[in-house]
Amino acid sequence: MSSFDELLSFDVLSLSEKIRSRQISPVEVTEAYLDRIRETDTQLRAYITVTAERARAAAKAAENEIAAGGWRGPFHGIPVALKDLCYTKGILTTGGSKIFAEFVPDFDCTVWARLEQAGAVLLGKLNLHEFAGGATTTNPHFGICRNPYNLERVPGGSSGGSAAAIVARSAAATIGSDTGGSIRIPAAFCGCVGMKQTWSRVSRYGVMPLADSLDHAGPITRSVRDAALMLQVIAGHDPNDPTSSREPVPDFTSAIGRSLKGTRVGVIKQLLEGVSGEVSRSFEASLAKLRDLGAVVEEVSILSIEQAPAIATTIMFAEAAEFHEDWIRTRPQDYGSDVRRTLEAGMLTPAMYYVRAQRARAVVLAESLAALENRIALIAPAAAISAPRIDVGGRALAASGEPVNMVSAVLRFTAPFNITGQPALALPIGLSSEGLPLSMQIIGRPFDEVSVFQVAAAYEEARGLLPQPKL
Amino acid sequence: MARLTGPAVKMLAQQLYDYNLSDDAAEAVAHMIGAMATYSRRLEALNLTGLQPPFGYPTMIAEAERSLKSSK
């Protein structure tokens, strides 16, 4: 029997080892997490639905199965939670929207089907920016999700609940989704690890779309290794999603712990511009740390990266509007004002602009691949700023009270790798003077998540984890 | 350079989708589409000649097969 705090302090790997050796029961871990949700979620609003009874039943089943020698793997008995756009059979799946407020799917998305098959315990469904259509998670229908480091700050989005729950320790691992940065932005603002793997690596079957050609579902976790372990469970071809890749799935942890000595990484010059002084200083310190670890750190240039936000938003607007057409025409008043405006713009996006934006994606990828020649990864800040202030209207506010331009503050850093489909991981690099997390991204070649995890894990081990926020 | 106006956006939304935009919303959307037009023209400078959009025929075949299977 372990104390409540101790149970919540373990990452997935440590918890899994203790569950496997029966030092800890999945039942007591699940109860600890359910208590923690009760303790924190009135303030945080990370959850939309808590599936307590179902979690208890799954934890008990896991306990019995493990006792009988049927340990399934690292996620057996681990309490997890899903962004509430992941379809779960028999469980409310709202998309953070009024439109789907009472929607109960009759099938599971593949991501959850695979986690459940691996023995994971579902704690509940997590808050998000309505329909994943923004980066604040100031949700007009299910409550304002808040940043665990400062309750007056946004957690980022759209997977704000997924990141807030990780940092608040109200889930051991979560799933988010990322169309323009929606895994990495909340991971950056909340101070945890967010992995957007290569597009098509993970099935999107049963994940409510924002923009099909840019959408990814992926892990948000406390540590790099946890992200690799979770990706291991959910990756691989799925006949229900013909866009999912048949590329072999490697052991994502295989290079974790490998030295960076002699490796070369490229710092994307264009993404060093326009960042706050604190982000710049913290990022420079993280580059110094990588050099200390033996990596050769060099500046690289991707000129077309400046076009990426425009390419991403054109595609996102058009694809989102096509998916939402029936609802936006018949129930426009049921959308929050920001998402509604995006969809209205999408309805009138000329097809020519859409196709041109799609064609331009290959140019950015070609330049990115050139920058990766003889290098194992690229590096950039994950955002220009730390978490901005909450505005009840759904915007994000700077300290001055002026609205933050989220395109130049975050989308410029994250969206390039949605349009190229490359794997990109956000991880914490320190705290600002206001005690808010700062973050960097590590970007790899398509289907080379292994190198991304190698660089990220080496850095994480050298720097150590961020101090826990007081909640 | 032609400029998309709020009233034009309002009329298009009405005629294409039978969708009513408020004057303010129409102005905001006109601004967004106008910015998109500027950016789209900038993309021409990337030399897109000969580049195909990333829509794969194998995906289309697989989707057709899946659709056929689920309709049986």
Side-chain angles (χ1 to χ4, degrees), chain A residues 88 125 139 174 190 199 243 301 313 322 327 343 346 366 413 425:
Chain A
T88 39
K125 308 291 291 290
N139 189 304
T174 64
C190 289
W199 189 82
T243 66
S301 183
T313 50
E322 193 276 333
W327 300 301
L343 297 174
F413 298 85
L425 179 146

Side-chain angles (χ1 to χ4, degrees), chain A residues 410-423:
Chain A
V410 287
L411 209 62
R412 191 164 81 82
F413 298 85
T414 52
F417 313 109
N418 293 83
I419 69 166
T420 65
Q422 290 167 270

Side-chain angles (χ1 to χ4, degrees), chain A residues 244-406:
Chain A
S244 64
S245 173
R246 292 179 185 276
E247 195 74 19
V249 176
D251 175 356
F252 292 119
T253 63
S254 59
I256 290 179
R258 196 180 292 167
S259 166
L260 295 187
K261 201 166 184 184
T263 61
R264 294 172 68 201
V265 296
V267 181
I268 303 170
K269 183 182 164 193
Q270 285 76 10
L271 298 185
L272 295 176
E273 292 156 16
V275 301
S276 74
E278 284 197 309
V279 169
S280 181
R281 284 189 292 278
S282 187
F283 185 70
E284 286 299 327
S286 65
L287 297 185
K289 181 100 41 199
L290 288 169
R291 288 191 185 98
D292 290 346
L293 291 168
V296 177
V297 180
E298 306 154 308
E299 240 180 49
V300 295
S301 183
I302 304 177
L303 287 172
S304 61
I305 209 164
E306 298 291 10
Q307 310 298 328
I311 294 170
T313 50
T314 301
I315 294 169
M316 211 184 297
F317 285 10
E319 293 187 6
E322 193 276 333
F323 176 71
H324 284 274
E325 187 194 343
D326 281 351
W327 300 301
I328 189 74
R329 286 172 70 173
T330 56
R331 299 174 61 182
Q333 72 285 356
D334 288 342
Y335 286 87
S337 56
D338 57 338
V339 175
R340 180 173 167 178
R341 199 56 28 84
T342 297
L343 297 174
E344 288 167 345
M347 289 163 80
L348 296 169
T349 298
M352 190 176 79
Y353 298 171
Y354 172 76
V355 174
R356 184 174 295 153
Q358 286 286 9
R359 291 170 66 211
R361 294 171 69 176
V363 176
V364 186
L365 178 57
E367 281 191 40
S368 187
L369 291 176
L372 274 161
E373 261 176 43
N374 301 317
R375 297 185 179 93
I376 65 166
L378 301 177
I379 301 182
I385 53 173
S386 56
R389 284 166 48 197
I390 291 169
D391 169 52
V392 288
R395 298 172 306 179
L397 301 178
S400 63
E402 289 296 305
V404 170
N405 179 338
M406 294 298 264

Side-chain angles (χ1 to χ4, degrees), chain A residues 205 213 239-243 304 307 310-311 313-314 317 319 325 328-330 332 340-342 344-350 352-364 367, chain B residues 4 9-10 12-13 16-22 24-26 28-29 32-33 36-44 46-55 58-59 62-63 66 69:
Chain A
Y205 177 69
S213 69
N240 284 320
D241 175 3
T243 66
S304 61
Q307 310 298 328
I311 294 170
T313 50
T314 301
F317 285 10
E319 293 187 6
E325 187 194 343
I328 189 74
R329 286 172 70 173
T330 56
R340 180 173 167 178
R341 199 56 28 84
T342 297
E344 288 167 345
M347 289 163 80
L348 296 169
T349 298
M352 190 176 79
Y353 298 171
Y354 172 76
V355 174
R356 184 174 295 153
Q358 286 286 9
R359 291 170 66 211
R361 294 171 69 176
V363 176
V364 186
E367 281 191 40
Chain B
L4 193 59
V9 160
K10 202 167 165 147
L12 277 171
L16 288 172
Y17 303 107
D18 193 22
Y19 185 84
N20 292 314
L21 277 168
S22 68
D24 285 352
V29 171
M32 290 163 88
I33 304 286
M36 203 185 285
T38 304
Y39 290 128
S40 187
R41 278 189 289 273
R42 278 188 204 157
L43 293 185
E44 290 172 10
L46 292 180
N47 188 18
L48 305 180
T49 313
L51 285 174
Q52 294 290 313
F55 309 129
T59 299
E63 283 289 34
R66 194 168 70 95
K69 202 183 288 178

Side-chain angles (χ1 to χ4, degrees), chain A residues 419-435:
Chain A
I419 69 166
T420 65
Q422 290 167 270
L425 179 146
L427 84 166
I429 55 175
L431 293 175
S432 72
S433 56
E434 294 179 298

